[in-house]
Amino acid sequence: MKALVFNGPRDIRYEDFDDPELTIDNGVIVKVQMCSICGSDLHIYHGDAIGKVDYTTGLDPFCVGHEFIGEVVEAGPMVHNSTVGDRVFVAGGTGCGNCRACRSGIGRCPATVAFGCSARLQGGQAEFVQVPNADRTIRTIPEYVTDEQALLLTDALATAKFGIDRCEIRPGDTVAVVGLGPIGLLGVELASLSGAAQVIAIDPVAERRDHAAGLGASVLSPGDDLDPAIRQLTGGRLVDRCFEASGAAAAIASVPRILRSGGTASFIGLPQGGTGLDMAQLIYRSLTVRAGVAPVPELWPSLLPLLESGRLRAEGLFTHRMPLSEGAEGYRLFDARQDGVNKILFEL
């Protein structure tokens, strides 16, 4: 098959790769129809670290990508919730399929691994991919869900919902969203649905601020004048809740300064070395901090009704479409933030 293959930092190539074989009874083979780049994929592209994996040297080539939808073309004998021919969206990672969390559908499997982060679980920016633990990891695409929304359900929408939920927004709250990539922009929409009276969206990229303004947010640029601008917008009170969706060191450091005493911050961006929070501010101002990785399938039951009703639209995030064969250029463009790029969709 053809796939986008990691061969080292900034060296992702469209090339031949071994076809996946169905090697587990609870798995399926998915023929990928569409896939997309996540912001966290850029950590791989840059040669950064994710968890204990260092992408600078010594890794075998592997298929990248954890956001993909497609058709089930083969299913193991222990798969019960889908069958050959189903069009499905796939959670960005999966667990062992055997532990209490996997069997109950509640909680995070301690063996959870993301697609496309190493040769341990090949990714979905490829023509075919094996999906283990299929009953937990895939879902048939409902007729009311668009292909773009289905792609977002693989990770971005669930991660945004997870982060916003952990802000514990109360009706009338002022909520800041820091970082307006796709997850941050979805966070703007979800914050309003959660009862926020005012959403303040912060990002250095003008096109992303414009998108957030179209969702009803007040928009600001980061920098030295951010704090006084927040005070002006809130009448000096600062924000009640903050959703940090970038993982950038400067963005993380700004969060305690813009929160009111007793406020809550939720972090979902993958940080790199050198990031941290001012512990004195957390302690003396009684700030609550939450962080984590979304258990994607657990969020689907709350997201799908919002999409079906039309209250959650999740539209306009994919700014570029291209064939998978142009994937190397897609990564370069996404990394450079050129041409107004926000999210790229690859078609097969």
Side-chain angles (χ1 to χ4, degrees):
M1 68 174 182
K2 291 291 189 180
L4 294 185
V5 180
F6 177 82
N7 288 277
R10 301 184 187 277
D11 187 8
I12 288 178
R13 307 175 201 167
Y14 180 72
E15 59 188 14
D16 292 331
F17 202 85
D18 289 341
D19 291 333
E21 297 181 359
L22 189 59
T23 59
I24 45 179
D25 288 346
N26 68 1
V28 299
I29 300 293
V30 171
K31 181 180 181 181
V32 178
Q33 297 170 333
M34 295 181 182
C35 52
S36 53
I37 307 175
C38 175
S40 61
D41 291 331
L42 288 182
H43 291 306
I44 299 172
Y45 184 69
H46 293 156
D48 296 332
I50 298 179
K52 297 180 180 179
V53 182
D54 182 347
Y55 292 95
T56 54
T57 58
L59 291 178
D60 293 332
F62 61 90
C63 300
V64 291
H66 61 267
E67 299 181 345
F68 57 96
I69 64 174
E71 179 185 346
V72 176
V73 294
E74 190 175 355
M78 297 302 293
V79 176
H80 306 292
N81 295 342
S82 57
T83 188
V84 171
D86 287 351
R87 291 190 73 240
V88 298
F89 54 89
V90 183
T94 189
C96 68
N98 299 312
C99 69
R100 181 177 180 180
C102 287
R103 293 196 304 270
S104 68
I106 300 173
R108 182 175 174 81
C109 171
T112 295
V113 59
F115 290 94
C117 288
S118 72
R120 181 181 173 190
L121 188 61
Q122 299 293 344
Q125 291 172 9
E127 292 182 316
F128 296 92
V129 61
Q130 177 175 234
V131 179
N133 192 18
D135 285 347
R136 165 82 163 157
T137 309
I138 68 176
R139 178 93 176 238
T140 301
I141 301 174
E143 62 180 13
Y144 57 82
V145 171
T146 68
D147 288 342
E148 291 188 0
Q149 289 170 340
L151 272 173
L152 294 170
L153 283 164
T154 66
D155 181 2
L157 253 176
T159 297
K161 185 72 164 61
F162 174 76
I164 288 294
D165 285 351
R166 286 163 67 83
C167 285
E168 295 190 340
I169 297 169
R170 299 172 183 171
D173 276 349
T174 295
V175 179
V177 178
V178 179
L180 300 178
I183 293 174
L185 289 171
L186 291 166
V188 170
E189 192 173 358
L190 288 164
S192 295
L193 286 176
S194 298
Q198 181 183 31
V199 179
I200 301 172
I202 303 163
D203 196 274
V205 180
E207 292 88 350
R208 296 178 177 184
R209 295 197 303 271
D210 290 344
H211 188 122
L215 295 171
S218 303
V219 296
L220 294 173
S221 297
D224 293 340
D225 58 351
L226 175 62
D227 298 7
I230 291 283
R231 289 184 180 277
Q232 182 175 3
L233 281 175
T234 61
R237 188 170 180 269
L238 303 179
V239 304
D240 303 291
R241 320 286 170 190
C242 185
F243 175 44
E244 200 290 311
S246 76
I252 291 171
S254 73
V255 170
R257 301 197 309 269
I258 64 176
L259 273 172
R260 66 165 175 82
S261 294
T264 299
S266 175
F267 296 86
I268 55 85
L270 294 182
Q272 293 301 299
T275 59
L277 292 168
D278 185 338
M279 289 301 298
Q281 289 203 58
L282 302 187
I283 292 171
Y284 293 129
R285 298 178 56 234
S286 299
L287 302 181
T288 298
V289 172
R290 295 189 173 93
V293 177
V296 171
E298 288 185 34
L299 281 301
W300 291 339
S302 60
L303 286 166
L304 287 169
L306 292 173
L307 291 170
E308 184 176 17
S309 68
R311 294 186 65 214
L312 175 62
R313 303 187 65 85
E315 294 175 339
L317 296 173
F318 289 92
T319 53
H320 293 68
R321 286 179 176 241
M322 58 183 65
L324 188 67
S325 58
E326 297 179 11
E329 171 60 14
Y331 268 88
R332 188 203 64 78
L333 181 70
F334 190 57
D335 181 45
R337 295 183 178 179
Q338 292 179 342
D339 193 30
V341 68
N342 190 18
K343 197 164 182 65
I344 294 175
L345 187 155
F346 295 128
E347 297 176 301
L348 286 84

